Amino acid sequence: MVEWKKLGEVCEIGTGSNNREDASEDGLYPFYVRSKEVLKIDSYLYDEEAILIPGEGGIGEIFHYVKGKYGLHQRTYRVHPISIETKGRFLYYYLYENFGKYINQKSYKSTAASIRKPMLFDFVVPIPSLSEQTRIVGILDTFTAAIENLKEQIAQRRKQYEWYLDKAYFSSKLELINALNRGLIQVKTLDDVGSFTRGRRFVRTDIVSDGIPCIHYGDMYTYYGVWTEKTPTYLTKEKSEKLRFAKYGDVIIVGAGENDIDIGVGVAWLGKENVVVHDACYIFEHNMNAKYLSYFMRSNNYHQQIRMGVVDGKICSISAKELGRTLIPVPSLSEQSRIVSILDTFEASIQNLEAQLKEREKQYEYYRNKLLTFDSREDLGESRRT
């Protein structure tokens, strides 16, 4: 038997009175505004347990749970439990799971533009026993803690990975030149160590489910990592005969995109057969370790160097001439292999943690949905029990 009540019957609902300008970088208390970001503030408005929901922006997506002193924006709602039969943490999970769907049903648009107090007051919530609420919260808190722990591990590993990229490839062109002048490293341009050939055009409608492997420039941003030996896309033999191929060990470099951030990223092709390359990419033939080059094309140094050569427009692009001017440290092949081995270890570790995170998030969503699904009752007329 689960009792249902309106949220306004078991909680005090209102908004804050702070403005964003009240934020202080060195403030003593958390300051909740209309975003996922939590700011700081010098003085607090409330000292309580509450669920905080922005009245505008991120409707149905942003929820904060707080217990203690905090500041609150004037367009952010506080839902403060006042009933002894209700646990705030339980309400937080239930709102997170269900309030967004409810609020969008109340909106005339596909998504709600803002929340009004009656919408919160009239939202119906289940009131299981306190022991059941405690059990549910315990399970979901365990999953939440595990997920946050994995996210922290991934962030830390990425930080280590980026630090080593800067160490291996130098953090800037100036640092690289200084190392060259001190005789610490050999430096060449990409034109010195290889040659660029532009791919040839094919379109998405040319792609088939089986045949000759091909790399479309759009997939360079979404599918590929540092290296690959297979593709998700193929062309017919007849279509591919007039196109251009990369062979084992070549690096495929994307030369066009919607912004300048990812342009120039390279993927080492390590497949057994040659691969067709799209005309918005370059095939880079060289005499270096292919993965060493590909990792370099993810470094800050490399992207700082090529950014000046990117042509802005509806589609940003960079020429082979501009890419060829880029300076790259060129250690011995054995040193290149050593650097690649270390970076591969970081990559594998991050991918493993990300796979764990994905699995844990799936488990969490399953249990959250299962534990927070009750026989619904929208009508609070004569009976409050199901």
Side-chain angles (χ1 to χ4, degrees):
M1 298 282 285
V2 175
E3 188 173 9
W4 292 79
K5 291 187 177 182
K6 291 183 178 180
L7 190 62
E9 294 181 89
V10 296
C11 293
E12 180 180 291
I13 300 172
T15 57
S17 59
N18 292 125
N19 294 312
R20 196 178 181 96
E21 292 75 18
D22 297 331
S24 171
E25 189 174 338
D26 300 319
L28 297 174
Y29 307 102
F31 176 29
Y32 296 90
V33 293
R34 294 172 292 173
S35 71
K36 291 182 179 180
E37 181 185 15
V38 180
L39 306 179
K40 296 253 182 103
I41 197 167
D42 291 327
S43 60
Y44 66 91
L45 286 177
Y46 303 103
D47 184 2
E48 62 185 9
E49 179 185 40
I51 301 100
L52 309 178
I53 305 170
E56 297 169 348
I59 304 300
E61 298 176 0
I62 300 173
F63 298 86
H64 294 286
Y65 172 80
V66 62
K67 196 170 186 179
K69 298 179 176 70
Y70 67 96
L72 189 65
H73 190 272
Q74 61 178 331
R75 284 297 295 131
T76 298
Y77 285 95
R78 53 182 279 270
V79 179
H80 167 56
I82 55 175
S83 170
I84 60 172
E85 60 187 350
T86 307
K87 285 184 171 290
R89 190 73 175 164
F90 170 78
L91 286 178
Y92 163 77
Y93 281 121
Y94 190 80
L95 285 164
Y96 191 96
E97 176 71 8
N98 295 284
F99 185 70
K101 293 174 252 183
Y102 158 83
I103 205 68
N104 285 324
Q105 287 173 355
K106 295 288 184 182
S107 174
Y108 292 107
K109 301 178 181 179
S110 58
T111 57
S114 64
I115 295 174
R116 297 292 178 262
K117 186 175 179 179
M119 296 177 180
L120 279 163
F121 190 97
D122 293 335
F123 181 62
V124 180
V125 295
I127 313 293
S129 67
L130 285 172
S131 61
E132 178 64 6
Q133 290 181 50
T134 300
R135 184 183 76 86
I136 291 169
V137 167
I139 294 170
L140 296 180
D141 275 353
T142 298
F143 277 112
T144 299
I147 288 169
E148 289 305 312
N149 180 261
L150 284 169
K151 286 180 178 179
E152 288 175 11
Q153 288 186 59
I154 290 170
Q156 181 62 30
R157 198 56 53 88
R158 284 194 180 282
K159 187 176 180 181
Q160 293 170 342
Y161 167 76
E162 289 165 5
W163 177 87
Y164 190 76
L165 269 180
D166 280 347
K167 183 176 184 295
Y169 296 111
F170 301 87
S171 60
S172 66
K173 181 179 179 180
L174 178 60
E175 185 181 338
L176 181 60
I177 291 173
N178 286 339
L180 170 66
N181 291 337
R182 287 154 54 198
L184 301 178
I185 190 74
Q186 184 180 22
V187 176
K188 295 184 178 181
T189 66
L190 288 180
D191 274 341
D192 291 332
V193 299
S195 61
F196 297 88
T197 303
R198 187 168 185 164
R200 281 189 174 157
R201 183 170 175 76
F202 61 90
V203 295
R204 287 286 187 187
T205 53
D206 294 326
I207 291 172
V208 294
S209 58
D210 193 21
I212 306 300
C214 66
I215 291 180
H216 188 276
Y217 91 100
D219 295 330
M220 293 283 286
Y221 297 107
T222 57
Y223 180 83
Y224 298 105
V226 173
W227 63 277
T228 189
E229 57 185 6
K230 60 182 180 180
T231 68
T233 52
Y234 302 87
L235 297 173
T236 63
K237 182 178 180 182
E238 293 72 23
K239 179 65 181 177
S240 63
E241 284 176 347
K242 297 181 180 179
L243 302 180
R244 286 179 176 156
F245 291 79
K247 64 182 184 303
Y248 181 93
D250 288 345
V251 177
I252 300 157
I253 304 169
V254 64
E258 294 182 358
N259 58 66
D260 65 353
I261 297 173
D262 295 321
I263 284 181
V265 168
V267 176
W269 175 249
L270 302 180
K272 293 180 180 178
E273 57 183 315
N274 294 346
V275 61
V276 176
V277 176
H278 189 266
D279 71 333
C281 298
Y282 298 103
I283 303 163
F284 187 61
E285 298 180 69
H286 56 89
N287 56 5
M288 298 180 66
N289 184 304
K291 290 170 74 174
Y292 176 85
L293 284 167
S294 188
Y295 276 120
F296 171 67
M297 292 170 187
R298 282 161 174 77
S299 69
N300 288 325
N301 181 7
Y302 171 74
H303 282 282
Q304 287 170 11
Q305 288 191 63
I306 70 169
R307 192 158 292 139
M308 295 300 294
V310 174
V311 178
D312 289 328
K314 186 175 181 181
I315 296 294
C316 298
S317 63
I318 190 168
S319 67
K321 182 178 180 181
E322 292 293 340
L323 286 170
R325 293 173 176 171
T326 307
L327 296 178
I328 179 174
V330 184
S332 66
L333 284 173
S334 61
E335 178 63 8
Q336 292 176 39
S337 296
R338 187 187 72 84
I339 290 169
V340 165
S341 177
I342 294 170
L343 290 169
D344 278 351
T345 300
F346 280 121
E347 278 278 322
S349 177
I350 291 170
Q351 289 175 12
N352 178 52
L353 289 169
E354 287 177 337
Q356 291 181 51
L357 176 61
K358 187 175 181 180
E359 183 61 29
R360 193 53 58 92
E361 286 177 332
K362 284 172 60 178
Q363 292 172 342
Y364 169 68
E365 289 170 8
Y366 169 80
Y367 280 103
R368 188 179 68 195
N369 181 63
K370 185 179 179 66
L371 292 168
L372 297 176
T373 298
F374 302 90
D375 293 333
S376 64
R377 185 174 187 83
E378 295 291 339
D379 179 11
L380 296 181
E382 296 181 3
S383 173
R384 288 178 177 268
R385 296 185 178 275
T386 59

